Amino acid sequence: MHDKPSSEGEMTETGRRLRLLSYNVQVGIRSTTPRHYLTKSWKNLLPAARRLDNLRHIGRLLHDYDIVGLQELDSGSHRTGFVNLSEFLAEQAHFPFWHHQINRNLGRIAQHGHALLSRIQPDAVEEYPLPGLIPGRGALMMRFGHGDNALAVMMVHLALSRRARCRQLGFVAERLADFRHAVLMGDMNSEPGSPEMRTLFSRSELREPEQAMSTFPSWRPQRSIDHILVTPQLEVEACQVLPERYSDHLPIAMQLRLPSGVLGG
């Protein structure tokens, strides 16, 4: 965890506003057409000179947010020139607190993971391996505050198998059950009305999105698989998909108003 002084969201007369962003950054590969999956596939294994330039653009995007969940990162292997992408983006966007979870460690070849970046110091950070036949999926959670006023922010990148996603979201629902104020964000590989998402909503207080927001693929968004979900006590003031094509996904952003007592609001 890296730390230094920072701001902590915007205070209002009725509570604190919190700006959230979730983004699958595809290891810094800028894909803007289907053929890039073929022509740029080598970047998943080898260093690329323009990778960090693309990540610098992403870093500037992250400046406007208080808590950011990033999927498809590398913690510092050969393909990234041994640069920890979580640390790189945290420094680019001046986030004082960040935590990286490695979900699939291939040593010097690749270290697949994801990260949470925060301008607010968390009271606890927890990592969970998610269930599934194929290991390598995880959940990362930051907790802010204690007791009834605690806020839990969890990020996930779920499996491609529907059966695995059902188990994973059941696991997530159990972990968030004790929090009145909870946020779940990430690449869930699931549409809002899918069986696995219905499982999540039936086992937790997380609310179903009011409308589907297509984030994939970035060049012609047709699938709503990236989400920010919240419990009813958190007031959603705005939610939108950003037209920033630095990956094969588009980022999704949300602004919340927190109840009095949460994060000092």
Side-chain angles (χ1 to χ4, degrees):
M1 185 84 66
H2 177 67
D3 63 309
K4 57 187 176 183
S6 74
S7 61
E8 299 184 2
E10 177 189 354
M11 289 294 296
T12 70
E13 292 182 357
T14 56
R16 184 185 297 279
R17 285 196 175 101
L18 193 67
R19 298 157 298 178
L20 307 171
L21 183 82
S22 180
Y23 198 6
N24 180 325
V25 300
Q26 200 191 13
V27 206
I29 301 172
R30 186 168 189 167
S31 298
T32 57
T33 175
R35 70 174 180 272
H36 284 164
Y37 284 128
L38 177 63
T39 61
K40 296 186 178 183
S41 61
W42 60 273
K43 295 183 179 182
N44 287 296
L45 299 172
L46 298 172
R50 294 186 178 179
R51 188 192 308 270
L52 294 185
D53 288 338
N54 191 48
L55 288 165
R56 288 186 183 94
H57 287 294
I58 294 174
R60 286 193 285 273
L61 169 67
L62 306 185
H63 269 285
D64 293 335
Y65 298 91
D66 302 306
I67 301 176
V68 171
L70 299 172
Q71 304 90 53
E72 291 198 18
L73 293 170
D74 190 287
S75 67
S77 66
H78 175 65
R79 63 176 174 169
T80 63
F82 300 100
V83 174
N84 183 320
L85 301 188
S86 305
E87 181 177 14
F88 180 84
L89 285 169
E91 291 182 349
Q92 288 290 309
H94 304 293
F95 276 88
F97 309 102
W98 59 273
H99 193 87
H100 182 97
Q101 180 184 24
I102 300 175
N103 297 314
R104 190 174 292 124
N105 191 343
L106 303 180
R108 294 173 62 88
I109 297 173
Q111 296 188 23
H112 303 277
H114 52 207
L116 279 171
L117 284 55
S118 178
R119 303 199 184 281
I120 307 157
Q121 183 171 8
D123 291 282
V125 180
E126 298 182 27
E127 297 184 20
Y128 304 100
L130 290 175
L133 291 177
I134 302 175
R137 301 286 180 172
L140 181 59
M141 186 175 78
M142 286 183 171
R143 175 178 57 79
F144 305 89
H146 304 274
D148 289 341
N149 286 330
L151 171 68
V153 179
M154 178 180 283
M155 185 195 57
V156 296
H157 187 187
L158 301 184
L160 298 177
S161 159
R162 172 164 287 172
R163 177 176 294 182
R165 292 197 302 270
C166 280
R167 291 182 60 197
Q168 290 166 359
L169 287 174
F171 176 91
V172 166
E174 290 180 6
R175 292 301 175 276
L176 294 179
D178 294 334
F179 294 95
R180 296 179 63 243
H181 312 106
V183 175
L184 176 65
M185 66 169 77
D187 178 356
M188 302 185 197
N189 280 311
S190 304
E191 301 280 352
S194 63
E196 61 269 33
M197 293 292 272
R198 290 200 297 270
T199 296
L200 174 68
F201 298 133
S202 68
R203 298 183 184 180
S204 74
E205 292 190 20
L206 293 165
R207 291 181 287 175
E208 189 169 359
E210 292 185 2
Q211 62 182 27
M213 294 191 172
S214 298
T215 56
F216 181 84
S218 58
W219 53 87
R220 191 179 178 186
Q222 296 178 311
R223 299 187 63 201
S224 176
I225 59 176
D226 299 274
H227 305 285
I228 302 178
L229 308 173
V230 302
T231 51
Q233 294 79 11
L234 303 177
E235 179 185 348
V236 178
E237 293 189 327
C239 187
Q240 62 181 320
V241 174
L242 306 181
E244 307 292 349
R245 295 168 60 184
Y246 300 121
S247 166
D248 60 343
H249 289 243
L250 296 176
I252 185 167
M254 179 178 286
Q255 180 170 290
L256 296 177
R257 188 188 298 271
L258 304 179
S260 176
V262 178
L263 290 182

